[in-house]
Amino acid sequence: MGVDGGAVHGQGTAHADASPSLDALLEALPVACAAFDCETGRLVAGNRRYHDQFGPVPGHVSRDRLMRELHPGSTGDTPGRRDVRLPHSGRWYSLHWGRVEDTGQALDLLSAVDISERIEVLDSHKSRQEKLLFTSRLMSVGEMAATLAHELNQPLAAIVNYLNGSLRLVGQAGGPVQVERALQAARTQAEHASAVIARVREFVRAREPRRSAHRLAGIADTVLELLRLEAERQELCIELRLPEDLPDVYADRVMVEQVLLNLVKNAIEAMRETPPGERALRVDGRVNLDGDVEVRVVDRGSGLSQAEQDQLFSPFFTTKADGLGIGLAICRSIIEYHEGRMFFEPSPEGGSVFGFTLPVAEGRT
Ligand SMILES: Nc1ncnc2c1ncn2[C@@H]1O[C@H](COP(=O)(O)OP(=O)(O)O)[C@@H](O)[C@H]1O
Ligand SMILES: [Mg+2]
């Protein structure tokens, strides 16, 4: 037999009569192997590995059908080397086709090396690379935030100044009262934006929350005030259920405002498709079994599939056309900086519950 590159040194004819059979040769090979008649394309011989691994492939006894299965889109000739994945087993093979002359009969010889493990290693390497890329993207988000904060600081300060001036003028002129209210609302928003930006800058620099004792009710009031317009637009009434005797939390006020704002915003956005009569949003507060303050934002939105739940807090996960997907990731890191815990659970009333815990201030200040 004169297999490509396999001609043994010296006179190849010496052992012609003692040549092992094709079957025996294929059987001795450590990979799946099959020989097809060149003319008819029919399977002439295949080792046990071939039958085990390629038996379930439709047409594994015919070269041409096998070609169509394994190399869809290829025309006629055997394509040399090619990596394929067998659908029935999910395993990857590196295929090699070669032509063999055996005492007048021409054969197309297929050998298939299982390369699944190599592919897995490559894949896991790739996903590690992707994770690294994520982290570096998150870091550049931090840098971007710092740049933006720097750029926005000046104009925001100017806006607050103009609003203060206008408020003074309206005050001196004695109204109209609607304009005065609108100016005050605008100033609240602008001041909040400034506070957020100041905290972002500080946070990016120091990466540490500045904590003291705060009433949760005060934090929630600020957030609801900021979202009032958005809630009205959606004909939505936000119910605040915080017990009078809820202990103060030990937290960075602006950062926790940011968390609650994100959660309530998400809840509002989740109810875009809910009929107006069924929309309801509640913010609950209580002391949990560990003695921490627990806040829960409960909506009647669409809820979340299992696949969505698994990815919720990953950076850049979003199902919204206009979403950034960093809201929840930021919430979670803020809460973890506060030694608290962020959680999600499906709401028994339909919709979702997003919550977090914060340590109580007593004994820490
Ligand atoms: N209350 C909620 N109800 C249903 N899905 C939600 C809710 N909050 C968040 N999600 C899902 O989590 C995703 C990520 O949220 P987030 O990190 O805030 O990013 P974004 O709001 O920019 O999409 C959302 O796109 C949405 O699919
Ligand atoms: Mg969001």
Side-chain angles (χ1 to χ4, degrees):
M1 253 176 98
V3 182
D4 279 357
V8 207
H9 19 251
Q11 285 73 26
T13 50
H15 304 291
D17 290 339
S19 277
S21 72
L22 182 59
D23 279 326
L25 264 179
L26 293 189
E27 209 53 64
L29 292 171
V31 299
C33 264
F36 299 86
D37 186 286
C38 241
E39 296 292 315
T40 65
R42 268 205 308 275
L43 182 73
V44 176
N47 62 9
R48 191 178 41 79
R49 285 192 170 82
Y50 178 75
H51 287 288
D52 287 350
Q53 295 164 25
F54 286 72
V57 178
H60 77 286
V61 291
S62 147
R63 178 196 57 199
D64 299 341
R65 275 212 59 197
L66 195 63
M67 292 276 296
R68 282 200 299 277
E69 283 298 322
L70 300 182
H71 311 289
S74 74
T75 45
D77 258 355
T78 49
R81 237 206 81 170
R82 184 88 165 259
D83 295 344
V84 299
R85 182 170 178 270
L86 295 192
H88 72 269
S89 63
R91 298 197 71 83
W92 281 92
Y93 292 90
S94 174
L95 302 185
H96 185 273
W97 290 92
R99 189 148 286 191
V100 181
E101 294 283 341
D102 184 24
T103 52
Q105 190 187 17
L107 296 172
D108 277 329
L109 195 66
L110 170 67
S111 55
V113 180
D114 189 328
I115 53 166
S116 306
E117 268 154 43
R118 216 165 74 210
I119 298 266
E120 265 162 36
V121 170
L122 278 177
D123 277 354
S124 85
H125 187 69
K126 213 170 103 202
S127 84
R128 259 206 314 277
Q129 285 290 106
E130 274 162 9
K131 283 209 186 87
L132 272 177
L133 202 68
F134 256 167
T135 322
S136 73
R137 264 158 79 185
L138 202 59
M139 270 156 54
S140 32
V141 168
E143 277 155 30
M144 195 174 79
T147 316
L148 265 180
H150 182 75
E151 294 295 326
L152 290 176
N153 216 19
Q154 296 297 325
L156 271 170
I159 289 172
V160 172
N161 276 340
Y162 280 122
L163 288 170
N164 281 332
S166 308
L167 269 167
R168 255 198 318 278
L169 289 176
V170 173
Q172 281 160 10
V177 71
Q178 291 96 325
V179 174
E180 193 171 357
R181 256 194 236 133
L183 288 173
Q184 271 160 357
R187 187 175 59 183
T188 308
Q189 299 274 357
E191 280 171 351
H192 176 75
S194 293
V196 169
I197 280 171
R199 287 304 293 125
V200 167
R201 293 180 70 179
E202 217 172 285
F203 184 58
V204 169
R205 233 187 358 249
R207 299 237 157 223
E208 244 176 42
R210 201 177 49 214
R211 303 203 269 172
S212 51
H214 290 287
R215 279 178 57 242
L216 204 63
I219 293 178
D221 283 343
T222 309
V223 169
L224 297 197
E225 174 59 26
L226 288 168
L227 288 172
R228 209 184 39 178
L229 266 187
E230 212 161 321
E232 273 169 19
R233 212 177 295 140
Q234 289 227 28
E235 301 168 53
L236 185 88
C237 176
I238 304 178
E239 186 189 347
L240 202 54
R241 268 203 217 162
L242 302 175
E244 277 296 322
D245 58 353
L246 197 66
D248 283 358
V249 292
Y250 184 57
D252 182 311
R253 184 184 169 119
V254 178
M255 286 171 95
V256 175
E257 278 172 11
Q258 218 31 49
V259 171
L260 194 59
L261 187 81
N262 267 318
L263 297 186
V264 175
K265 250 193 161 147
N266 276 347
I268 294 177
E269 285 163 3
M271 290 192 286
R272 278 182 193 154
E273 308 293 322
T274 311
E278 291 165 30
R279 288 179 193 156
L281 206 169
R282 210 174 63 232
V283 179
D284 289 337
R286 61 166 188 152
V287 175
N288 70 10
L289 292 175
D290 298 328
D292 293 322
V293 170
E294 183 179 294
V295 181
R296 305 162 74 89
V297 179
V298 187
D299 68 52
R300 297 259 186 89
S302 40
L304 286 153
S305 72
Q306 185 60 51
E308 286 167 347
Q309 288 177 34
D310 293 342
Q311 299 192 64
L312 264 185
F313 297 100
S314 320
F316 308 109
F317 168 72
T318 181
T319 54
K320 297 168 197 167
D322 54 350
L324 263 184
I326 54 173
L328 288 176
I330 290 177
C331 287
R332 185 168 70 172
S333 50
I334 290 180
I335 292 301
E336 284 172 359
Y337 271 113
H338 281 82
E339 303 149 84
R341 195 173 57 84
M342 215 39 247
F343 61 89
F344 160 84
E345 55 196 51
S347 164
E349 301 145 55
S352 332
V353 180
F354 279 86
F356 58 89
T357 64
L358 286 172
V360 299
E362 205 183 312
R364 308 189 65 149
T365 45

